[in-house]
Amino acid sequence: MSLYRLIYSSYAKSDMGYHDLKDIMEKSENNNRSEGVTGLLCYGDSIFLQILEGDSCGALRYRTVISKTYHRIALDTRHHTPELIEFIPIESRLFGVWSMKAVNISDLNSQQVRNLILKYSASTTLQPHTMTSQQCLNLMQALAILFEKAI
């Protein structure tokens, strides 16, 4: 078994609401659990940043589970302009406890979030298209910790 991590960002449609985000989470949790996919989805400033982790084998031939999942997500009409930031083999999962967890950064302490985003980018708003893959990964790990403390 080989594990892979995929990081991508995309822009939410202008009418994205809480109900849409909740629906995305429910479907992601169900789909990912059956495929052995784990990860974290961050939403803020009308932008999605997501990390997917999973097996490269499974029942699929010539395609990875992660690639299949990403292509399904890319077709979702609630967002547009998906940009692949990284797709690499990994030694272990960083978000293995969640089939998918969503962090809506507007639900967290705004000053702490701004400080975290500024730590890993040149902006105080979520702008993953200007960040390296490592900066995106570091930000997501920090947001996961912040999210866990908030609940």
Side-chain angles (χ1 to χ4, degrees):
M1 171 176 79
S2 297
L3 291 172
Y4 284 81
R5 176 181 306 119
L6 183 145
I7 304 173
Y8 80 91
S9 67
S10 62
Y11 296 90
K13 289 189 73 176
S14 59
D15 59 352
M16 174 66 68
Y18 174 78
H19 179 69
D20 294 310
L21 193 57
K22 186 176 177 193
D23 184 57
I24 290 168
M25 276 310 306
E26 289 172 1
K27 288 180 179 171
S28 295
E29 286 176 341
N30 290 332
N31 291 335
N32 294 350
R33 189 175 299 111
S34 66
E35 296 285 345
V37 174
T38 58
L40 182 66
L41 172 66
C42 176
Y43 174 73
D45 303 312
S46 298
I47 294 177
F48 290 105
L49 176 60
Q50 186 168 27
I51 296 177
L52 302 169
E53 301 168 326
D55 187 355
S56 66
C57 301
L60 298 177
R61 190 172 174 169
Y62 306 117
R63 291 186 303 174
T64 68
V65 173
I66 294 298
S67 183
K68 175 186 167 195
T69 301
Y70 173 70
H71 287 291
R72 184 179 66 243
I73 291 168
L75 295 175
D76 192 317
T77 59
R78 292 172 287 200
H79 69 133
H80 61 89
T81 324
E83 179 183 338
L84 185 61
I85 296 170
E86 179 178 74
F87 190 14
I88 62 166
I90 57 174
E91 293 294 319
S92 62
R93 299 173 193 252
L94 294 174
F95 304 99
V97 296
W98 301 316
S99 55
M100 188 51 59
K101 182 56 77 180
V103 174
N104 184 343
I105 61 175
S106 64
D107 292 342
L108 300 173
N109 178 298
S110 60
Q111 187 59 49
Q112 286 179 307
V113 170
R114 276 195 297 275
N115 290 345
L116 279 177
I117 292 171
L118 190 57
K119 180 177 180 178
Y120 297 110
S121 73
S123 176
T124 56
T125 60
L126 186 61
Q127 301 291 323
H129 58 279
T130 67
M131 299 164 63
T132 68
S133 59
Q134 190 62 53
Q135 289 169 325
C136 289
L137 183 60
N138 292 344
L139 174 63
M140 293 290 271
Q141 287 181 286
L143 287 172
I145 292 167
L146 190 61
F147 176 78
E148 283 295 309
K149 289 179 181 177
I151 57 172

